[in-house]
Amino acid sequence: MRVLVVEDDAALRAQICESLRAEGYVAESAADGEEGLYRAQEYPIDIAVVDLGLPKLTGIELIKKLRKGAGSSTGPSKVPVLILTARDGWQSKVEGLEAGADDYLVKPFQTPELLARLRALLRRAGGWASATLVSGPIELDTTAKSLKVGERAVEITSYEYRVLEYLLTNAGKVISKSELSEHLYAEDHERDSNVIEVFIRRLRAKIDPENTLNPIATLRGAGYRWDLPRA
Amino acid sequence: MNSLRTRLLLATSLTLAFFLILGGLSLDRAFEASAEQSQQERMQALIYALLGSAEPTPYGALVFANDKLPDDRLAHPQSGLEAALFGDSAGLLWGSPSLSDNIPTPATQEVGQWRFEQLANRFVLLFGVSYTGDDHTPRHYTLMLTEESAQYESQLRAYRRTLLLWLGGAAAALLLLQGTVMRWSLRPLRRLVRELGDVESGARARIEGDYPAELKPLTEGLNAMIINERNQQSRYRNALGDLAHTLKTPLAVLHGIAERPQGMAQQQLLTEQVLRMRHIVDHQLQRAATAGSRTLAEPVTLRPLVEKITAALAKVYHQRRVQFTLDIPATLRLRADAGDLYELLGNLLDNACKYGGGRVRLSARREQKQVLLMVEDDGAGFPNDTAPLLERGTRADTLQEGQGLGLGAVKDIVEAYGGALRLERSTLGGGCVRVTLPG
């Protein structure tokens, strides 16, 4: 999952990005509102964390423009936005949410709280209600980052988890290899479609060793799709 | 005497009465003087005419022929007009046929001397005459003419009646005019008082009417004061907001550092201290930023504000699918700072969403001079001992992450407005926070 962090304070920005990377997110950052808007519109991000007090373009303006699709080649964006606000007044929270943000967090905050909110927003954007994504016999606990198939706990690596989480969150949607790699890797040079194929193959072997479930469908030339129904 | 209206009315009425009385008196005096003057002149003319009709006697005395008298009334007894001629020492020499008896002998007049007198019921005119007859001996006479003053008196009475009537009419008309002029002149003042009342009660944001030049400086001054008061308040709160922003970002960084793995004791100490700092900042800012009741605050229409908050909360508590029921009259306006109301209702509604079972009801209504707000939910309700809940940093449970500032902050705001807060049980099954605010 690719997260955009728009925060003008360098120390806090670095800290948030670091925590996000430690959690397996791809973190993207911007130091002012204009740069933040540009990145939010032109980069394939899954979620944005936006501070309200930003130079050049305030957080509220950024969100409004993002939602309107002003000056963007991709049109209005529905990407979930979590606002960070130092002004813990309800007026500013309400303003932010009214402008199009999806949730807020008051500074100073605890990192686990931020991560929990992000997970909840990502889930919500994918149409999932609970923290555990359940599809057929497969249960992916996004809080503990653990996988269960039926009663069996399955060990997966951090990269495998990311691929699975992305596919499962967007269950039913066709995800191209390039989209997957864009959302999973920070840098272009890391993106290698062969690696994605390897992860998919390994995931299939771990989840469905007997080939009875076929949770991940390969659509030739298009990409992959999670095919099991959501619980 | 403390009313401008009474003062003006009293002063102008007294002035009016004074000048009307003075005018009436001088008109009366002038008329009386001129009537007396004309009476005297008429009688003088009659004396000249009488003298003209005199006939000399062979022995040189002055005699009037009764058949040649210049005024018929002199020839008729009881006519009220009488003439008599007195000699220097001989007393009454001649009397007109109208002359009554017992006429006192008047004092001798010098030759050519007039003497006009008004007695109780008659005018008397005396004239000293020297007559030289054929014997060339000058003789000295005093001619007397008297006329009853009854006619003169009735003329004077008629004049006075007319005068009184006209002056009275004029006084009434003037009083009426004066009253009207005063009402008209004082109307802007009355309007100003009304508008100021509106500003105070919140029906109006500022004094808007077009006022006469004398009142303009006053209304402009008042408006400037109202705006200045509001501006100052918002400047003050903005400054506090900025303070919050600058303090909290480094605090967030410190917090992040404290979360990193290091010596357990050291980490705990750092976390504790950072949390303490955060609570202090939150608490002090909240207290300082609460605007509290201000007489010049612009009134806030409650319903749209609540709708904004519930729309925002519906987004945050998306997964809980919270159902909000609003029972707020669309016209209910509250004289309070909008930021304070956001804080008050935001915290209460947030708590209701967080700890409730998905149904939240907010009802508001005006009760006499107070506004009653009730936020209810269908959760577990409040514990029996509610006192600790209202202290800062306390939460009803530890199930969810929170700052524990909600109810404490609400209590501070309610107190700043001189209102009251009660925690009760709702008919929905959960907690009910009952807030009354003055105004």
Side-chain angles (χ1 to χ4, degrees):
Chain A
M1 296 284 180
R2 190 173 273 266
V3 186
L4 170 66
V5 178
V6 192
E7 161 65 61
D8 58 325
D9 186 84
L12 187 59
R13 188 173 63 236
Q15 209 176 67
I16 295 172
C17 289
E18 200 181 312
S19 312
L20 288 172
R21 287 187 190 114
E23 274 289 299
Y25 289 100
V26 177
E28 183 95 45
S29 71
D32 64 62
E34 277 177 10
E35 193 194 342
L37 180 63
Y38 173 77
R39 284 184 179 262
Q41 286 178 331
E42 306 303 327
Y43 285 65
I45 59 163
D46 294 298
I47 192 164
V49 178
V50 178
D51 181 28
L52 281 189
L54 288 172
K56 292 189 187 172
L57 196 66
T58 67
I60 300 272
E61 285 165 332
L62 188 159
I63 296 164
K64 279 186 182 163
K65 289 195 169 173
L66 185 67
R67 292 292 184 237
K68 236 191 269 169
S72 139
S73 54
T74 50
S77 164
K78 282 183 183 167
V79 71
V81 175
L82 173 78
I83 47 176
L84 295 181
T85 167
R87 299 172 200 275
D88 58 356
W90 272 92
Q91 201 162 359
S92 80
K93 290 178 197 168
V94 170
E95 261 174 35
L97 292 165
E98 215 179 21
D102 299 274
D103 201 358
Y104 65 87
L105 201 54
V106 177
K107 281 187 198 173
F109 49 86
Q110 286 170 308
T111 310
E113 173 83 11
L114 171 69
L115 297 173
R117 298 286 185 103
L118 289 179
R119 273 198 304 274
L121 284 180
L122 283 169
R123 243 177 16 234
R124 201 203 286 178
W128 292 92
S130 94
T132 305
L133 312 182
V134 184
S135 176
I138 289 135
E139 286 179 32
L140 188 70
D141 184 338
T142 58
T143 313
K145 303 200 183 308
S146 62
L147 173 68
K148 258 169 63 179
V149 178
E151 292 304 306
R152 174 172 60 100
V154 179
E155 282 290 319
I156 49 173
T157 66
S158 158
Y159 272 102
E160 287 164 3
Y161 172 83
R162 288 196 224 170
V163 172
L164 183 59
E165 187 193 28
Y166 196 84
L167 285 175
L168 202 46
T169 302
N170 297 296
K173 268 169 65 183
V174 179
I175 314 289
S176 69
K177 274 189 219 167
S178 62
E179 185 183 342
L180 255 180
S181 65
E182 269 174 359
H183 287 275
L184 301 181
Y185 296 107
E187 307 297 332
D188 287 343
H189 62 81
E190 289 178 303
R191 293 176 196 160
D192 179 351
S193 59
N194 292 328
V195 178
I196 298 286
E197 279 173 31
V198 172
F199 284 139
I200 296 284
R201 205 179 312 132
R202 274 203 237 148
L203 272 175
R204 279 176 174 150
K206 284 187 177 178
I207 296 170
D208 185 24
E210 271 97 50
N211 266 328
T212 51
L213 295 168
N214 291 321
I216 305 165
T218 308
L219 302 147
R220 215 154 285 283
Y224 303 100
R225 185 179 61 207
W226 186 267
D227 255 0
L228 288 181
R230 297 174 187 219
Chain B
M1 267 308 176
N2 265 334
S3 147
L4 274 182
R5 206 177 139 76
T6 316
R7 284 182 192 200
L8 282 172
L9 214 64
L10 203 71
T12 47
S13 302
L14 283 177
T15 315
L16 182 71
F18 176 73
F19 279 101
L20 276 176
I21 290 168
L22 201 71
L25 279 177
S26 53
L27 276 174
D28 185 61
R29 284 276 152 269
F31 180 79
E32 206 179 326
S34 99
E36 241 181 66
Q37 178 74 28
S38 75
Q39 176 75 30
Q40 189 181 346
E41 277 166 5
R42 218 170 47 242
M43 286 170 78
Q44 275 176 347
L46 205 55
I47 281 185
Y48 282 132
L50 201 58
L51 285 173
S53 73
E55 281 175 358
T57 51
Y59 46 88
L62 193 63
V63 166
F64 300 100
N66 280 355
D67 56 343
K68 284 185 184 168
L69 291 173
D71 193 312
D72 283 349
R73 282 183 295 166
L74 288 173
H76 298 104
Q78 305 294 320
S79 71
L81 188 68
E82 304 164 347
L85 188 70
F86 295 91
D88 221 358
S89 53
L92 183 65
L93 294 176
W94 170 84
S96 68
S98 63
L99 187 67
S100 48
D101 303 330
N102 304 325
I103 288 293
T105 307
T108 311
Q109 289 294 306
E110 293 292 311
V111 175
Q113 277 276 315
W114 295 97
R115 185 184 159 93
F116 183 72
E117 267 182 289
Q118 184 177 9
L119 301 179
N121 58 353
R122 56 182 52 231
F123 292 102
V124 178
L125 185 63
L126 299 172
F127 187 47
V129 183
S130 175
Y131 181 74
T132 309
D134 295 342
D135 57 350
H136 303 291
T137 316
R139 289 183 175 81
H140 186 207
Y141 304 97
T142 297
L143 187 58
M144 181 178 83
L145 188 69
T146 72
E147 188 177 7
E148 278 187 351
S149 58
Q151 197 196 344
Y152 167 87
E153 297 286 356
S154 81
Q155 196 185 352
L156 207 62
R157 269 199 303 277
Y159 172 76
R160 280 185 178 144
R161 239 186 346 262
T162 315
L163 186 67
L164 209 65
L165 209 68
W166 278 98
L167 282 180
L174 276 173
L175 273 174
L176 204 71
L177 186 69
Q178 180 188 313
T180 316
V181 165
M182 195 147 15
R183 274 189 79 79
W184 179 63
S185 316
L186 291 181
R187 206 167 52 189
L189 271 181
R190 275 203 302 277
R191 202 175 70 214
L192 181 62
V193 169
R194 205 172 48 236
E195 281 200 27
L196 210 63
D198 286 352
V199 169
E200 207 180 332
S201 74
R204 193 182 281 276
R206 45 174 291 158
I207 295 166
E208 277 151 345
D210 191 21
Y211 284 95
E214 292 85 347
L215 287 182
K216 273 252 162 65
L218 181 67
T219 58
E220 277 162 12
L222 279 172
N223 273 336
M225 226 173 78
I226 293 167
I227 290 164
N228 189 42
E229 213 260 0
R230 284 183 192 141
N231 284 350
Q232 198 168 352
Q233 197 68 27
S234 65
R235 268 203 304 278
Y236 176 59
R237 307 184 77 201
N238 285 346
L240 282 168
D242 292 344
L243 179 68
H245 189 76
T246 49
L247 272 176
K248 285 188 172 183
T249 304
L251 211 48
V253 177
L254 273 180
H255 212 281
I257 293 172
E259 281 168 354
R260 282 180 196 166
Q262 44 193 302
M264 274 308 281
Q266 201 187 347
Q267 185 182 345
Q268 187 145 14
L269 189 69
L270 190 54
T271 309
E272 267 172 24
Q273 292 309 305
V274 169
L275 269 174
R276 228 186 101 205
M277 274 167 73
R278 196 178 82 179
H279 282 308
I280 292 168
V281 168
D282 284 341
H283 178 69
Q284 296 300 340
L285 276 173
Q286 175 62 53
R287 280 177 70 88
T290 300
S293 66
R294 288 175 294 136
T295 48
L296 295 176
E298 240 176 297
V300 179
T301 311
L302 199 59
R303 202 178 165 106
L305 186 139
V306 171
E307 280 168 353
K308 278 188 181 185
I309 298 176
T310 52
L313 286 172
K315 224 172 190 180
V316 175
Y317 293 100
H318 176 83
Q319 273 164 252
R320 291 179 166 236
R321 307 198 183 285
V322 179
Q323 278 192 312
F324 292 99
T325 311
L326 302 184
D327 178 16
I328 309 166
T331 53
L332 183 63
R333 274 149 62 102
L334 194 54
R335 173 180 286 286
D337 180 81
D340 288 347
L341 286 178
Y342 268 108
E343 217 51 41
L344 177 80
L345 295 169
N347 278 315
L348 290 181
L349 289 168
D350 188 40
N351 281 346
C353 292
K354 208 181 280 177
Y355 303 114
R359 280 171 66 204
V360 175
R361 182 164 68 198
L362 173 58
S363 27
R365 62 174 182 270
R366 188 168 282 285
E367 284 191 339
Q368 285 121 38
K369 297 210 113 184
Q370 289 188 321
V371 171
L372 172 69
L373 299 168
M374 278 201 293
V375 179
E376 297 167 85
D377 65 62
D378 57 345
F382 299 107
N384 288 333
D385 181 17
T386 54
L389 285 181
L390 297 172
E391 281 163 29
R392 282 188 180 268
T394 312
R395 289 188 301 116
D397 65 10
T398 46
L399 287 173
Q400 268 166 314
E401 290 281 336
Q403 301 190 8
L405 276 165
L407 274 179
V410 168
K411 191 179 144 224
D412 280 353
I413 293 168
V414 171
E415 277 172 2
Y417 281 87
L421 179 134
R422 281 218 320 260
L423 303 180
E424 295 171 351
R425 183 153 287 279
S426 162
T427 51
L428 293 177
C432 167
V433 183
R434 189 188 169 91
V435 173
T436 43
L437 293 175

